[in-house]
Amino acid sequence: MDGLEIAQAVCVTDHSCVQTLHFNSYLLSCCDRDTLWDAWGSWSECSRTCGGGASYSLRRCLSSKTCEGQNIKYRTCSNVDCPPDAGDFRAQQCSAHADVRYQGQYHEWLPVYNDPDNPCALKCKAKGLGLVVELAPKVLDGTRCYTESLDMCISGVCQIVGCDHDLGSTAKEDNCGVCSGDGSSCRLVRGHYKSQHASGKTEDTVVAVPYKSRHVRLVLKGPDHLYVESKTLQGVKGELILDKSGQYHLENTTLDYQKLSDKEVLRITGPLGADFTVKFASGADSVVQYIYYQPIIHRWRETDFFPCSVTCGGGYQLTSAECFDLRTSRVVVDQYCHYYPENVKPKPKLLECNMDPCLASDGYKQIMPYDLYQPLPRWESSPWTACSTSCGGGIQSRSVACVEEDMQGIITPTEEWKCLYSPKTAILQPCNTFDCPTWLAQEWSPCTVTCGPGLRYRVVLCIDHRGLHAGGCNPTTKPHIKEECLVTVPCYKSIDTLPVEAKPVWHKQAIELEEEISVTEEPT
């Protein structure tokens, strides 16, 4: 190999250079041989088993002088959620000092979070005291710098961590919680609610915030007080009364509540671990403003092609779109997908099929000429009939037929198989499901006499499902409005012969009610 010239070698430190090395002269001056590093070693064990930790790799300097660059590099590891009962990592490090005396005493130490000066020092406070102490200059690698961030402390320095769990990454979650997302998987919901105390209700439902929603913020102005109810997908219910400022926990969700002199503020970063319903006790004029990001949990999903419309002679087959629940992985009725204006239902696709001629005929069947200019056959329904009952739950019906529209816009009935690419609309539905009006009897009046036999009266009202006095009750089931009564006191004077006008007001009203004709008209 003498006299041969080795191919160009590239040496890279903080700057690059290219040198030609001659094998026979053993010239190893490549950008200064003393700046070379050894290869990186294997990665160390992760500093944590869950919740995000750090691992490192080392390399050795092969120079007799100082090498430029770092001899250690880090990466994240164990980026999986810890079990719910694992506890906070920083809190674990504070509690580890509980068996060590500080100034001659043992203390139960609680973590100090979000220190702006040194977030990677282990600062703890003694429970029940105002004592705050730095128990260690560095927290363990993998400890979060701040509670609302993925940035982690490594060797006592806060390192930036993106939502992709890479060190130094600038990747951020969108408002929907999707890393580097475009915000299309959720929708912003905002509104306000004013208490309806005049209606007589004891509580008001402000807003129902669905499962997996994020960045919830409610502000109540007024004397009422907020509380939260939850319901999981499995139907488990919970309740949380917010009585003082602080952090609350419900269904693996942290709620930050502030009670100020003139308002209450509720913040939930999310995602919500259940469906949350925010309410307040009614009885005063209060207004709640709210805003949150709701996940779009129902999406259109294109189906496979339906079977061919014919067995021979040339036909077509179509795709359709079905509404899919991302939480339960089930197909639901189309109305759920129509609820989100962001959802656009995909148009059916048409494919020619079974083009071979039919043996029993003398030619090809014409292919249905549906294209972008001629609508596909569709289901068309008539108006609903009148409800079978006026209350208590009835049924109404309608007819549904498959129709097609030609280029001139003329609509004609056609075979039902042409509409099978979309579900047939319902022909029956329940109606007037509210309760029928019922008689409501008030309490009996006192007896009309002070001794011996007499009469007593009561008011009987017809109450509808809204709680209003209206007609529509069955007159044959109306409770009686008067009955005999007996005052067990001996009478020592003649029976009262005063005219009605001289008797108490309730007595006159009772007689008028007795003479009144029963109301039979339908409720409005």
Side-chain angles (χ1 to χ4, degrees):
M1 295 179 62
D2 289 347
L4 294 178
E5 187 175 74
I6 294 181
Q8 293 179 333
V10 179
C11 303
V12 179
T13 55
D14 289 341
H15 56 279
S16 300
C17 62
V18 178
Q19 292 284 347
T20 300
L21 304 182
H22 295 276
F23 186 85
N24 59 351
S25 60
Y26 298 96
L27 294 177
L28 299 177
S29 60
C30 176
C31 304
D32 188 353
R33 168 69 178 76
D34 290 339
T35 63
L36 295 182
W37 290 92
D38 197 1
W40 286 104
S42 59
W43 289 101
S44 70
E45 185 179 353
C46 193
S47 62
R48 299 186 65 185
T49 57
C50 63
S55 177
Y56 64 87
S57 174
L58 299 172
R59 63 178 177 173
R60 185 166 55 97
C61 179
L62 300 178
S63 171
S64 59
K65 301 177 183 179
T66 301
C67 292
E68 296 182 14
Q70 300 291 329
N71 69 334
I72 186 171
K73 63 180 179 179
Y74 297 92
R75 69 178 183 183
T76 62
C77 48
S78 298
N79 293 308
V80 294
D81 292 335
C82 291
D85 57 350
D88 176 72
F89 193 38
R90 190 181 287 265
Q92 293 173 6
Q93 296 172 57
C94 285
S95 61
H97 292 262
D99 58 351
V100 180
R101 292 179 184 271
Y102 179 79
Q103 296 180 348
Q105 292 184 339
Y106 293 106
H107 299 280
E108 182 179 348
W109 297 103
L110 302 176
V112 175
Y113 297 101
N114 305 322
D115 181 10
D117 299 324
N118 190 358
C120 291
L122 183 62
K123 290 187 177 180
C124 310
K125 58 183 177 181
K127 185 176 182 180
L129 303 174
L131 180 65
V132 177
V133 180
E134 182 179 297
L135 296 180
K138 300 177 183 179
V139 291
L140 298 179
D141 288 352
T143 306
R144 295 279 180 258
C145 307
Y146 308 100
T147 54
E148 300 298 329
S149 170
L150 291 175
D151 297 348
M152 69 171 58
C153 295
I154 299 178
S155 191
V157 179
C158 185
Q159 302 284 352
I160 294 175
V161 179
C163 61
D164 53 3
H165 297 286
D166 288 340
L167 285 174
S169 170
T170 58
K172 301 291 183 183
E173 285 187 351
D174 62 10
N175 290 319
C176 312
V178 179
C179 188
S180 300
D182 58 2
S184 62
S185 61
C186 66
R187 61 196 297 261
L188 176 64
V189 179
R190 65 169 76 234
H192 69 278
Y193 184 86
K194 182 175 176 59
S195 62
Q196 305 289 329
H197 67 278
S199 64
K201 295 189 296 183
T202 59
E203 64 179 26
D204 277 353
T205 297
V206 178
V207 62
V209 187
Y211 173 68
K212 289 294 185 181
S213 294
R214 294 172 179 264
H215 307 296
V216 183
R217 186 174 187 270
L218 296 97
V219 179
L220 180 146
K221 294 183 179 180
D224 288 316
H225 300 292
L226 294 171
Y227 67 96
V228 180
E229 294 179 351
S230 67
K231 184 177 181 181
T232 66
L233 295 179
Q234 293 75 32
V236 180
K237 296 182 179 180
E239 186 178 58
L240 186 63
I241 305 297
L242 306 172
D243 52 1
K244 60 181 180 180
S245 297
Q247 282 193 343
Y248 295 80
H249 300 278
L250 182 65
E251 296 298 340
N252 295 326
T253 306
T254 301
L255 298 85
D256 186 9
Y257 171 72
Q258 287 181 292
K259 187 176 183 180
L260 306 174
S261 59
D262 60 338
K263 62 183 178 181
E264 297 182 13
V265 181
L266 178 62
R267 294 184 179 90
I268 311 174
T269 302
L272 269 59
D275 292 331
F276 279 18
T277 302
V278 182
K279 298 183 176 182
F280 59 73
S282 181
D285 288 322
S286 296
V287 176
V288 178
Q289 293 180 321
Y290 57 85
I291 183 172
Y292 62 92
Y293 285 90
Q294 175 187 356
I296 299 177
I297 58 175
H298 297 109
R299 292 277 191 178
W300 292 112
R301 185 176 68 173
E302 193 174 53
T303 67
D304 295 331
F305 280 96
F306 286 99
C308 192
S309 59
V310 296
T311 57
C312 62
Y316 68 91
Q317 54 187 155
L318 294 164
T319 63
S320 181
E322 55 192 11
C323 188
F324 190 70
D325 190 322
L326 301 177
R327 300 183 301 179
T328 61
S329 299
R330 294 180 179 177
V331 177
V332 295
V333 295
D334 288 0
Q335 284 84 343
Y336 285 104
C337 285
H338 290 312
Y339 176 70
Y340 303 99
E342 297 85 354
N343 277 346
V344 179
K345 187 174 183 179
K347 294 182 179 180
K349 295 179 181 177
L350 185 144
L351 185 68
E352 296 176 354
C353 55
N354 292 345
M355 302 301 295
D356 295 334
C358 297
L359 300 178
S361 66
D362 55 353
Y364 292 90
K365 290 186 178 180
Q366 183 180 5
I367 300 173
M368 303 303 293
Y370 298 122
D371 54 30
L372 295 176
Y373 304 101
Q374 183 171 356
L376 290 167
R378 64 181 184 273
W379 296 109
E380 192 132 299
S381 56
S382 65
W384 291 105
T385 61
C387 193
S388 59
T389 61
S390 59
C391 61
I395 295 292
Q396 56 185 167
S397 61
R398 64 180 177 183
S399 60
V400 178
C402 181
V403 299
E404 59 183 349
E405 184 178 349
D406 62 16
M407 300 293 288
Q408 288 73 39
I410 299 174
I411 299 176
T412 56
T414 187
E415 298 91 342
E416 284 200 355
W417 62 263
K418 294 183 180 180
C419 290
L420 294 180
Y421 69 88
S422 64
K424 190 174 182 179
T425 53
I427 60 173
L428 295 174
Q429 74 172 10
C431 53
N432 292 347
T433 56
F434 51 84
D435 294 335
C436 292
T438 56
W439 294 109
L440 178 65
Q442 306 291 333
E443 293 184 1
W444 287 104
S445 70
C447 201
T448 56
V449 297
T450 57
C451 65
L455 296 174
R456 62 176 183 173
Y457 297 84
R458 64 180 175 181
V459 176
V460 177
L461 303 175
C462 182
I463 303 299
D464 65 10
H465 67 283
R466 300 164 296 180
L468 301 178
H469 176 40
C473 294
N474 185 354
T476 62
T477 62
K478 181 178 180 180
H480 58 281
I481 64 173
K482 75 172 182 178
E483 69 177 11
E484 295 179 352
C485 56
L486 177 65
V487 179
T488 58
V489 176
C491 295
Y492 299 102
K493 55 182 179 180
S494 60
I495 299 176
D496 187 2
T497 57
L498 289 175
V500 172
E501 287 75 8
K503 293 181 181 290
V505 175
W506 59 264
H507 187 266
K508 181 179 178 180
Q509 290 175 342
I511 293 177
E512 291 174 352
L513 280 172
E514 185 179 7
E515 296 172 350
E516 182 182 357
I517 299 175
S518 299
V519 180
T520 58
E521 60 267 22
E522 292 292 326
T524 57

